Amino acid sequence: MDKRGAVTGAVVFSLLLCSLNQALAAGSSYDPSRVQWSRLEFRASKLLVTASSEVEISRQPSTSARRQWLTPNQGTPVEPSGPEVIHVELGSKLLGKTSDLDLWLDPVSGAAFQRTQLETGKKVRHHRHRSLRFTDEGVLSSTYRATEETVDRPYDQWTQSESFETYPLNLPRQEVVGEPSGLFYLLAVAPLEGPGDQALTYVFSKGQVMRVMLAVEEWTEVGVDHLVSGPSLPDEARVKERRRVMRIRLDGQPLVDHDSGVDFEFLGLKGDVEVFLDPERRYPVQISGDIKRAGRGNVRLQRVVLK
């Protein structure tokens, strides 16, 4: 093939890839009624490393949620278009550190409004409070860090700094930007029904926008052992069985600077992250990936509260 033909082929491939991205992500509209659970509890244990996480999803009036959000001085803040927003609460404990995260999302588009996270630990440098306010141009980051003198005081008396991360130019127009913790909601509402189904989303993580593809790889069976409760159940019950689930691969890549060393991360897992999703109740029974200081491992569901 001559040089002109090679260039033409590359252009055509780029156009096809762009069209595929637009077809997968454009006009994404989710139905919040598909969420059939309100609380999940997970646990991972490998070698001497033990981690636990709890995630809750609820609906919150837009008016009360707005009162907790920052007012950015750059860009136009992303605002709710309806009377309610999705509130995701994620608490985690790992290696002596704790994290309490609140995320507010649009129930239909999955766009993030704000994420607020308080981190504490054994050392002063582990104490941090950060809020991310999403706008049409980028993300405002407001961070409080403790010092030896202020570590025992409320976070708003710690040292504050602010920055603004502008979205990269290659972020497709009209695309909304979410946050990794919002993938719990996306997994519950996205039209992922069997092998070959895919969903494309963009998330802001570690100062970068990442393109995340959720791809159903296959049907498989995994062993489950967890407690189930809910309003329609008379008592909490234990479920221990082999269950047919969808294995979903989460492929996250930065939109720019692919060699930056920043890896996509979900629930503290990196590398080849896989979610094993119950197809009826739409919750993960297992999440697999690389655990910090422990290698490849599994995060398993311990308890679920149904709606």
Side-chain angles (χ1 to χ4, degrees):
M1 180 183 294
D2 60 24
K3 184 178 297 185
R4 183 169 57 184
V7 172
T8 302
V11 172
V12 171
F13 177 78
S14 297
L15 290 174
L16 288 173
L17 182 60
C18 182
S19 299
L20 175 61
N21 288 348
Q22 292 174 351
L24 288 169
S28 295
S29 180
Y30 304 118
D31 180 4
S33 67
R34 296 194 74 190
V35 182
Q36 300 184 47
W37 53 270
S38 60
R39 180 183 176 89
L40 304 175
E41 298 179 9
F42 296 94
R43 187 174 185 271
S45 181
K46 185 174 181 181
L47 302 178
L48 299 177
V49 178
T50 299
S52 61
S53 298
E54 303 172 356
V55 58
E56 294 189 36
I57 288 183
S58 61
R59 300 191 196 188
Q60 185 175 355
S62 300
T63 51
S64 60
R66 279 191 179 99
R67 290 195 287 267
Q68 304 175 68
W69 300 344
L70 301 175
T71 301
N73 54 14
Q74 182 176 340
T76 301
V78 180
E79 295 287 353
S81 57
E84 291 184 326
V85 299
I86 298 297
H87 184 206
V88 179
E89 299 173 83
L90 176 62
S92 301
K93 295 181 180 180
L94 173 66
L95 297 174
K97 295 187 289 185
T98 63
S99 167
D100 292 295
L101 182 149
D102 291 273
L103 173 68
W104 292 268
L105 298 170
D106 185 271
V108 177
S109 70
F113 301 119
Q114 179 162 310
R115 189 206 78 177
T116 299
Q117 183 179 22
L118 175 63
E119 298 172 292
T120 58
K122 298 178 181 179
K123 299 181 179 180
V124 173
R125 60 184 175 86
H126 294 154
H127 290 65
R128 183 182 72 173
H129 181 281
R130 173 169 290 171
S131 292
L132 303 177
R133 184 65 169 101
F134 291 73
T135 78
D136 62 337
E137 297 180 10
V139 179
L140 168 67
S141 175
S142 175
T143 304
Y144 292 84
R145 295 182 184 275
T147 63
E148 292 284 355
E149 293 75 21
T150 64
V151 67
D152 293 325
R153 301 177 189 173
Y155 80 83
D156 57 2
Q157 296 183 31
W158 299 349
T159 303
Q160 183 188 19
S161 62
E162 286 192 355
S163 62
F164 191 90
E165 296 290 341
T166 303
Y167 290 147
L169 295 177
N170 61 338
L171 175 66
R173 295 182 61 185
Q174 306 305 318
E175 288 303 329
V176 301
V177 178
E179 197 271 348
S181 302
L183 292 175
F184 280 107
Y185 177 72
L186 205 63
L187 286 163
V189 299
L192 301 172
E193 309 297 342
D197 288 348
Q198 296 180 331
L200 174 64
T201 188
Y202 295 87
V203 301
F204 184 81
S205 178
K206 299 182 179 179
Q208 296 195 46
V209 175
M210 293 194 171
R211 175 185 181 274
V212 182
M213 182 70 76
L214 293 76
V216 182
E217 297 290 299
E218 64 175 353
W219 290 104
T220 187
E221 282 193 357
V222 295
V224 300
D225 185 1
H226 58 261
L227 300 174
V228 181
S229 62
S232 63
L233 300 177
D235 298 296
E236 188 171 61
R238 183 182 182 187
V239 177
K240 186 175 183 180
E241 62 186 15
R242 299 287 297 177
R243 181 168 295 183
R244 186 171 183 258
V245 297
M246 290 186 289
R247 181 172 66 85
I248 302 175
R249 177 171 51 85
L250 305 187
D251 183 15
Q253 299 293 334
L255 278 185
V256 296
D257 195 8
H258 293 274
D259 298 323
S260 64
V262 177
D263 294 326
F264 169 71
E265 186 173 328
F266 180 53
L267 202 64
L269 300 173
K270 299 180 180 181
D272 296 325
V273 179
E274 295 179 324
V275 175
F276 297 82
L277 190 74
D278 183 301
E280 296 180 3
R281 296 294 191 176
R282 311 295 299 183
Y283 56 73
V285 298
Q286 178 178 304
I287 306 173
S288 301
D290 295 336
I291 301 175
K292 185 177 182 181
R293 301 181 185 176
R296 189 75 179 176
N298 300 316
V299 177
R300 292 189 170 89
L301 182 66
Q302 302 296 304
R303 183 170 181 261
V304 56
V305 179
L306 302 175
K307 286 188 173 181

